[in-house]
Amino acid sequence: MQVVRLASETDLAGWRTAARSLRASGVPPEAAIWTVDGDASLFAGEAGPAPAPVGASFTVPREFVELAEQVILHRSDERFSLLYRLLWRLESEPNLMKITTDPDVDKARLFARAVSKAAHKMKAFVRFRSVQDEAGEAYVAWFEPAHRVTEATAPFFTRRFANMRFSILTPDVCLHWDTETLAFTPGADPADAPSSDALEDYWRTYYASIFNPARLKVGAMQKEMPKRYWRNLPEAGLIPELIAKAEARTSQMVRQAPSEPERRIVRAVLRASRDAPYDGQPPASLEEIAAGVQVCRRCDLYRDATQGVPGEGPKQARLMFVGEQPGDQEDLAGHPFVGPAGQVLDKALAEAGVPRAETFVTNAVKHFKHEQRGKRRIHQTPNSSEVAACRWWLEGERRIVRPRVIVALGATAALSVFGKPTPIGKFRQQAIQLPDQGQGVVTYHPSYLLRVPDKEAKAKAYAMFVEDLRFAWDLAA
Ligand code: URA
């Protein structure tokens, strides 16, 4: 009997080394016992695998390697031996991984699916609470993943919350991000995590505002948001009440326009609820818009974006800036104009004497459209149907903020704001009357200023940009 002691529950490298060595030495699956260091004393005195003989090398299908990366994160004690059995069999059955009816392959695939689902749930259900420490504000979350997916999901969280100091504590392992470095420490206890703060209210408002009674399918909802996660979800407390009220709210929605034939209304409600996860009513507050863009499915751009980026600024702003769409950094940070284009905008605003904090800054399109090239995400201009789909949100912001002046930054924003192509060279420095209310101004997009190759032309375009900002601010006074 050969006993293998792995360094941790997710020690894939250790498993790989030991498995290669066992297979090269001809140790059959039934003669290998797999343990993790902590419980190795159970097998004290048993022999470990000898190092793999020199020159003993073999290749395995890529499919197996990818499956093993997932399967090893499953909580089943059987996972190490299952993988070794597959590895062993691959020698005489090279096409084994393609035989989906094989019980070992089937089980491994089931394990992998469960792991992938657990990772997905972790990404969706981690809820941070804010804490103060010596370095200022930080965020802590407690989470109990169904499988050991904490390390595997870490890159998602560090990318998504790049500028936030946070820790995610789990019973298996804890991860810590200080905005630059990722570190792991041993598992923790729920008591180590704070239990409530103001963010709870945010999550509850968010959930209540995206909750659409007409879409309610209790079974489907519980499948998506299994009860085991509710304990740590601030919004879960709302669920029973929202379910109880759902029927009444749905009939109220249907009753709201009594002059329409009932069947048409019912169809309209159903269509709205199928097409978009809100009830088809225009958003009534900026909070609703901020929540709504996160779940928007009006076009496909949500698929590749990290998150929706709503507009920001005071509700009574006199001046609104509309850009094209969030860029790479805005997509990660969740705020508009915080990347390189935002820096140009900030500099020009300061030179024009316009306080950004008194303006409302948003975009024509709320999700980052891009193409992945290797590690880089290359900006792509949204097309007219994406701009049209997203006007739902921009119009909501315009209706709520009611700015005196809207500045369209670049051609895409101009198309959205004015509803038709508005050439910048021809229309800049003009107040254009908007049909709903207020006036519009068009100017260059800050990214364009970054791209002008000639130094002199760049300086000239930048000076015109500053002039346009000043013009808009004076117009809004
Ligand atoms: N470009 C935009 O149009 N908007 C942003 O928010 C960032 C870059």
Side-chain angles (χ1 to χ4, degrees), residues 214-226:
R215 278 168 58 89
L216 179 66
K217 290 197 187 84
V218 179
M221 186 181 82
Q222 291 189 357
K223 197 160 159 249
E224 270 305 301
M225 199 196 252

Side-chain angles (χ1 to χ4, degrees), residues 221-222 225-234 236 239-240 243:
M221 186 181 82
Q222 291 189 357
M225 199 196 252
K227 275 198 164 165
R228 71 187 304 275
Y229 298 108
W230 286 21
R231 226 169 341 143
N232 297 305
L233 293 176
I239 294 173
I243 291 176

Side-chain angles (χ1 to χ4, degrees), residues 269-280:
V269 169
L270 290 178
R271 198 172 47 240
S273 58
R274 205 176 45 237
D275 292 346
Y278 40 77
D279 58 15

Side-chain angles (χ1 to χ4, degrees), residues 323-327 330 336-337 341 363 445 447:
E324 180 191 85
Q325 61 165 353
E330 287 79 10
F337 282 105
N363 282 298
H445 191 285
S447 299

Side-chain angles (χ1 to χ4, degrees), residues 269-329:
V269 169
L270 290 178
R271 198 172 47 240
S273 58
R274 205 176 45 237
D275 292 346
Y278 40 77
D279 58 15
Q281 301 292 326
S285 68
L286 293 175
E287 291 73 23
E288 223 178 277
I289 293 176
V293 298
Q294 304 309 337
V295 292
C296 182
R297 302 290 183 267
R298 298 179 70 85
C299 74
D300 282 342
L301 295 186
Y302 74 94
R303 288 183 199 278
D304 296 326
T306 308
Q307 57 194 313
V309 179
E312 280 180 359
K315 197 177 144 207
Q316 281 88 15
R318 286 183 279 150
L319 188 60
M320 176 182 276
F321 288 103
V322 180
E324 180 191 85
Q325 61 165 353
D328 181 70
Q329 297 200 23

Side-chain angles (χ1 to χ4, degrees), residues 1-314:
M1 198 55 88
Q2 293 274 321
V3 178
V4 184
R5 298 179 176 86
L6 298 175
S8 75
E9 299 282 359
T10 54
D11 181 13
L12 181 61
W15 177 87
R16 199 185 293 127
T17 311
R20 278 178 169 275
S21 148
L22 290 174
R23 204 182 100 167
S25 318
V27 177
E30 55 283 5
I33 295 177
W34 298 85
T35 74
V36 173
D37 224 8
D39 37 84
S41 59
L42 281 176
F43 303 97
E46 298 279 358
V54 179
S57 75
F58 44 82
T59 52
V60 289
R62 191 176 171 70
E63 233 174 326
F64 173 77
V65 178
E66 285 170 2
L67 195 67
E69 282 168 5
Q70 297 275 87
V71 170
I72 203 116
L73 307 181
H74 199 278
R75 288 203 188 274
S76 164
D77 290 339
E78 207 196 321
R79 66 200 184 284
F80 301 128
S81 51
L82 171 65
L83 286 175
Y84 183 54
R85 204 159 52 244
L86 283 169
L87 181 75
W88 177 264
R89 291 180 56 197
L90 274 168
E91 185 161 22
S92 55
E93 302 168 71
N95 288 326
L96 176 61
M97 300 312 296
K98 307 227 175 311
I99 308 174
T100 49
T101 50
D102 179 272
D104 285 341
V105 174
D106 181 48
K107 185 176 277 180
R109 283 180 192 275
L110 266 179
F111 280 11
R113 267 204 299 281
V115 165
S116 147
K117 192 168 158 200
H120 175 72
K121 298 290 177 210
M122 181 157 184
K123 290 178 194 168
F125 296 146
V126 160
R127 297 287 182 268
F128 290 103
R129 271 106 182 169
S130 94
V131 292
Q132 290 292 327
D133 62 15
E134 42 321 319
E137 188 169 47
Y139 295 85
V140 181
W142 169 257
F143 193 75
E144 294 170 49
H147 297 286
R148 296 185 178 92
V149 293
T150 308
E151 287 133 307
T153 50
F156 166 84
F157 288 105
T158 54
R159 194 162 46 83
R160 178 96 183 244
F161 302 107
N163 299 323
M164 204 168 107
R165 285 191 310 122
F166 66 84
S167 295
I168 301 178
L169 315 182
T170 84
D172 310 310
V173 63
C174 302
L175 77 83
H176 311 274
W177 173 249
D178 65 1
T179 72
E180 278 171 10
T181 321
L182 178 64
F184 293 97
T185 55
D189 192 85
D192 297 331
S195 61
S196 69
D197 80 331
L199 280 182
E200 311 274 286
D201 287 340
Y202 167 79
W203 284 113
R204 274 191 284 267
T205 311
Y206 171 80
Y207 188 74
S209 65
I210 63 166
F211 181 83
N212 181 351
R215 278 168 58 89
L216 179 66
K217 290 197 187 84
V218 179
M221 186 181 82
Q222 291 189 357
K223 197 160 159 249
E224 270 305 301
M225 199 196 252
K227 275 198 164 165
R228 71 187 304 275
Y229 298 108
W230 286 21
R231 226 169 341 143
N232 297 305
L233 293 176
E235 66 270 35
L238 290 178
I239 294 173
E241 190 193 337
L242 289 174
I243 291 176
K245 284 187 181 160
E247 212 172 287
R249 272 184 64 192
T250 310
S251 10
Q252 189 194 351
M253 278 159 59
V254 172
R255 271 201 315 272
Q256 250 160 12
S259 59
E260 303 244 26
E262 199 172 341
R263 276 185 40 221
R264 269 187 56 202
I265 304 168
V266 173
R267 253 188 281 132
V269 169
L270 290 178
R271 198 172 47 240
S273 58
R274 205 176 45 237
D275 292 346
Y278 40 77
D279 58 15
Q281 301 292 326
S285 68
L286 293 175
E287 291 73 23
E288 223 178 277
I289 293 176
V293 298
Q294 304 309 337
V295 292
C296 182
R297 302 290 183 267
R298 298 179 70 85
C299 74
D300 282 342
L301 295 186
Y302 74 94
R303 288 183 199 278
D304 296 326
T306 308
Q307 57 194 313
V309 179
E312 280 180 359

